[in-house]
């Protein structure tokens, strides 16, 4: 099976712009979680989607939003970008049927805000 | 959520065994202990998970004492490619936790030739 894919891999934006990142989970996985990783704050949970519904949300401002499509692909959007949004954004998919209690992570999207 | 404490960094040499201990004094009855590995510019990767005693798989062993207040990840005969950050996570199974993993600071392991 193909792993979790994320596009684009790298992105450069300027303050005030918005950005949309995409994640395709492993085939058959219906849960997609998003994380932000920065040197200062480490890996932090953003939100989780399952069957097109947001089920869980971390402590991030409303500028961070997401959605999931019927094919389980997910997007996250960050509006009004700030310098502090520069980070590696990771998505992960999981399925109870995978046999192990684990999340499968994609390679991430490296976002740089100038 | 149980807080975890693990060393910030560890150095080792190829062929040696690396043991990383994680403290989790406030672990709850329903919590499991899970370890992930992360290489630079990649997403974390599941290594092993356990509840009590000892768990072994093809890449690592996990030792959990009876009181479960700590755990030790053991990597046998490491190679240069094992250089990575290792995260100890404590929490409920994914389904119970809403598919949310809570990461701490991790341990940066450097394997030298």
């Amino acid at each position: 099976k193909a792993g979790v894919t994320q596009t684009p891999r790298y992105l450069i934006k300027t303050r005030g712009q918005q950005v949309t990142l995409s994640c395709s989970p492993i085939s058959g996985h219906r849960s997609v979680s998003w994380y932000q990783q920065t040197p200062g704050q480490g890996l932090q949970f953003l939100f989780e989607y399952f069957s097109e519904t947001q089920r869980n949300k971390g402590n991030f401002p409303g500028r961070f939003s997401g959605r999931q499509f019927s094919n389980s692909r997910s997007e996250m959007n960050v509006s009004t970008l700030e310098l502090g949004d520069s980070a590696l954004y990771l998505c992960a998919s999981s399925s109870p049927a995978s046999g192990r209690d684990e999340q499968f992570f994609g390679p991430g999207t490296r976002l740089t805000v100038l | 959520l149980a807080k975890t404490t693990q060393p910030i960094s560890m150095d080792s040499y190829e062929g040696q065994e690396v043991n990383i201990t994680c403290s989790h004094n406030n672990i709850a009855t329903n919590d499991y202990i899970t370890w992930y590995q992360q290489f630079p510019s990649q997403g974390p990767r599941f290594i092993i998970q356990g509840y009590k005693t000892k768990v072994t798989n093809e890449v690592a062993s996990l030792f959990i004492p009876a009181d479960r207040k700590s755990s030790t990840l053991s990597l046998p005969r490491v190679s240069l490619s094992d250089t990575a950050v290792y995260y100890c996570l404590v929490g409920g199974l994914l389904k119970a936790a809403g598919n949310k993993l809570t990461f701490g600071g991790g341990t940066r392991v450097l394997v030298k030739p």
Side-chain angles (χ1 to χ4, degrees), chain A residues 41-57:
Chain A
Q41 299 298 319
L43 266 158
Q44 293 185 286
F45 173 81
L46 280 156
F47 32 64
E48 185 245 0
Y49 284 86
F50 182 88
S51 292
E52 303 178 62
T53 301
Q54 186 183 89
R55 291 198 305 186
N56 205 353
K57 191 175 186 307

Side-chain angles (χ1 to χ4, degrees), chain B residues 65-107:
Chain B
D67 66 5
R68 304 201 327 126
K69 292 184 184 300
S70 68
S71 58
T72 299
L73 174 72
S74 181
L75 306 171
R77 298 178 299 282
V78 294
S79 63
L80 296 177
S81 62
D82 292 315
T83 293
V85 178
Y86 293 82
Y87 294 96
C88 166
L89 292 80
V90 172
L93 294 176
L94 278 176
K95 187 175 181 180
N99 288 309
K100 169 186 175 181
L101 293 175
T102 301
F103 290 85
T107 297

Side-chain angles (χ1 to χ4, degrees), chain A residues 15-32:
Chain A
R15 278 183 300 173
Q17 287 187 311
Q18 73 154 13
V19 67
T20 299
L21 313 180
S22 181
C23 170
S24 292
I26 290 173
S27 178
H29 288 194
R30 294 166 65 189
S31 169
V32 173

Side-chain angles (χ1 to χ4, degrees), chain A residues 9 31 33 35 37 43 45 48 50 55-58 88 90 94 100-108 110, chain B residues 34 36 38 41-47 49 57-58 87 92-95 97-104:
Chain A
R9 292 293 312 278
S31 169
S33 298
Y35 296 82
Q37 185 170 29
L43 266 158
F45 173 81
E48 185 245 0
F50 182 88
R55 291 198 305 186
N56 205 353
K57 191 175 186 307
L88 181 66
L90 295 156
S94 60
R100 286 199 304 204
D101 190 68
E102 69 175 288
Q103 286 194 331
F104 296 83
F105 284 80
R110 171 81 57 189
Chain B
T34 311
Y36 277 75
Q38 185 179 25
S41 297
Q42 292 187 28
R45 184 174 71 110
F46 175 98
I47 300 176
Q49 183 184 68
N57 62 22
E58 62 278 7
Y87 294 96
L93 294 176
L94 278 176
K95 187 175 181 180
N99 288 309
K100 169 186 175 181
L101 293 175
T102 301
F103 290 85

Side-chain angles (χ1 to χ4, degrees), chain A:
Chain A
K1 274 187 178 178
V4 177
T5 58
Q6 292 188 244
T7 56
R9 292 293 312 278
Y10 302 92
L11 206 48
I12 300 176
K13 293 284 188 178
T14 56
R15 278 183 300 173
Q17 287 187 311
Q18 73 154 13
V19 67
T20 299
L21 313 180
S22 181
C23 170
S24 292
I26 290 173
S27 178
H29 288 194
R30 294 166 65 189
S31 169
V32 173
S33 298
W34 288 89
Y35 296 82
Q36 179 196 64
Q37 185 170 29
T38 61
Q41 299 298 319
L43 266 158
Q44 293 185 286
F45 173 81
L46 280 156
F47 32 64
E48 185 245 0
Y49 284 86
F50 182 88
S51 292
E52 303 178 62
T53 301
Q54 186 183 89
R55 291 198 305 186
N56 205 353
K57 191 175 186 307
N59 296 321
F60 279 81
R63 299 185 298 106
F64 292 82
S65 62
R67 61 177 175 169
Q68 187 180 35
F69 302 93
S70 58
N71 61 359
S72 294
R73 189 177 70 85
S74 177
E75 289 181 348
M76 70 162 280
N77 183 278
V78 188
S79 62
T80 320
L81 284 166
E82 301 177 359
L83 295 178
D85 297 332
S86 293
L88 181 66
Y89 290 89
L90 295 156
C91 86
S93 71
S94 60
S95 168
S98 71
R100 286 199 304 204
D101 190 68
E102 69 175 288
Q103 286 194 331
F104 296 83
F105 284 80
T109 294
R110 171 81 57 189
L111 171 66
T112 302
V113 182
L114 301 176

